[in-house]
Amino acid sequence: MWKALWVQTGCVLVGLFTAQAACAQEEIASPFEDHFRLSTGLLSATSETEIRLDADDGTPGTLVSAETDLGLRERSEQADVEVELRIRERHRIRFNYFRLDRSATQTIDRQILFGDEVFDAGDLVQSRLDWREFSFTYAYTFLRQERFELYGSFGLHLVEMSAEGEVRADDIREEETQAVPIPAFGLGTLVRFSDKFHFEARADYLTANIDEFDGTVIDLRAALLFRFNRNLAVGAAYILLEREGNSEDVGDSGHFSLRNTGPVLFLRVAF
């Protein structure tokens, strides 16, 4: 995965220098004038994951660390994709997609109650944890100056988590999938330092109760961008993503939490 990161970084730099040579005389527009943005990057994140899957009769399962107890990798690389559309001067909508799939095989050192199954200490457990998230955000710019803007936002995060544990030697297997929508409110800013450099930051947060499900979303992102020409920019960002959910619905109860932190290198195309 690190090789992929370096390859992408090299391609970005080559593309930037090539475009600069071809467009050296082109006027660089303000990021406030973008009507469409597509940002694609590679996130190298450290993950901290907890999961508890209760039995169908409501008996609490064992709270486990996916990385420590099950052996899922702590650091992983995944795509970071974002599309943003500006509607008139102060309105915008943003789409984000995040995906994290991990699997591992590890001998566990303690008994784990996972749903209706019991995994004993010494069992060789094959586990899989898949995470999908698609979010839609509407934002309104309520303060704008020549080199600065501040906006508020409301978003809806559609989260799907699929967990599986299996001990083939004992023919034991348990699988569970949860899909929930979680809303979030946010604030964001854009600061233009010069024609070529600008800074972006945003924070989204909400804790909500939906039926018998409690969910929390925290998104923090800060990025510095180099605007190479009218349509091309490169950026480096640091992000923190936290998701937590607790279900009290008997037969479908449990807990999950996921925390991802790490840097992102990305390329942006704007029109």
Side-chain angles (χ1 to χ4, degrees):
M1 289 297 182
W2 280 108
K3 182 178 179 181
L5 178 61
W6 286 113
V7 169
Q8 180 174 9
T9 303
C11 292
V12 168
L13 293 176
V14 170
L16 289 176
F17 285 115
T18 302
Q20 186 176 34
C23 307
Q25 303 302 319
E26 181 180 346
E27 180 182 356
I28 299 178
S30 166
F32 301 131
E33 300 175 7
D34 293 341
H35 296 288
F36 171 84
R37 294 176 177 173
L38 171 62
S39 303
T40 60
L42 189 64
L43 166 64
S44 178
T46 299
S47 300
E48 299 175 19
T49 315
E50 289 185 340
I51 183 171
R52 191 195 78 237
L53 182 60
D54 300 337
D56 288 341
D57 63 2
T59 302
T62 304
L63 182 65
V64 300
S65 164
E67 292 79 26
T68 302
D69 294 313
L70 302 178
L72 271 66
R73 63 184 183 275
E74 295 183 5
R75 178 170 290 278
S76 56
E77 287 71 41
Q78 58 260 10
D80 183 63
V81 180
E82 178 176 295
V83 176
E84 183 175 287
L85 301 173
R86 281 185 183 254
I87 305 172
R88 297 184 176 179
E89 183 179 356
R90 294 183 178 269
H91 303 269
R92 73 181 78 180
I93 55 175
R94 184 174 66 241
F95 304 91
N96 295 83
Y97 179 72
F98 176 78
R99 174 178 176 175
L100 177 61
D101 296 340
R102 292 176 293 167
S103 61
T105 301
Q106 177 165 296
T107 300
I108 59 176
D109 57 10
R110 63 178 177 130
Q111 186 183 75
I112 295 176
L113 305 181
F114 192 70
D116 293 316
E117 302 294 344
V118 178
F119 300 152
D120 293 318
D123 282 348
L124 184 65
V125 178
Q126 294 179 307
S127 58
R128 176 181 59 83
L129 185 61
D130 297 340
W131 191 279
R132 305 281 189 279
E133 182 171 336
F134 176 80
S135 62
F136 167 81
T137 304
Y138 164 77
Y140 176 77
T141 302
F142 56 84
L143 177 62
R144 171 174 289 181
Q145 299 179 354
E146 182 180 357
R147 293 186 176 273
F148 172 81
E149 72 174 7
L150 187 66
Y151 62 86
S153 65
F154 173 78
L156 185 64
H157 297 254
L158 305 176
V159 177
E160 181 183 71
M161 184 204 68
S162 177
E164 178 184 318
E166 181 179 10
V167 180
R168 291 186 177 178
D170 297 330
D171 195 25
I172 296 174
R173 183 174 181 272
E174 184 72 23
E175 183 177 9
E176 180 69 19
T177 298
Q178 291 276 356
V180 293
I182 306 176
F185 293 95
L187 284 174
T189 186
L190 188 154
V191 181
R192 189 185 185 197
F193 297 127
S194 67
D195 289 347
K196 292 189 176 182
F197 287 96
H198 72 271
F199 171 79
E200 298 176 355
R202 66 175 185 258
D204 298 329
Y205 172 81
L206 191 72
T207 296
N209 182 282
I210 305 172
D211 294 329
E212 296 188 47
F213 178 85
D214 295 322
T216 300
V217 167
I218 299 175
D219 275 11
L220 302 176
R221 177 185 294 251
L224 181 65
L225 290 92
F226 175 77
R227 188 133 182 157
F228 199 60
N229 56 42
R230 174 64 185 89
N231 305 115
L232 187 64
V234 65
Y238 193 85
I239 70 169
L240 182 151
L241 308 175
E242 288 191 7
R243 306 288 185 265
E244 184 173 357
N246 294 280
S247 174
E248 302 298 332
D249 184 15
V250 176
D252 197 25
S253 62
H255 165 85
F256 69 82
S257 66
L258 173 67
R259 175 187 172 95
N260 275 330
T261 58
V264 183
L265 295 176
F266 63 94
L267 185 68
R268 173 176 293 174
V269 178
F271 299 96

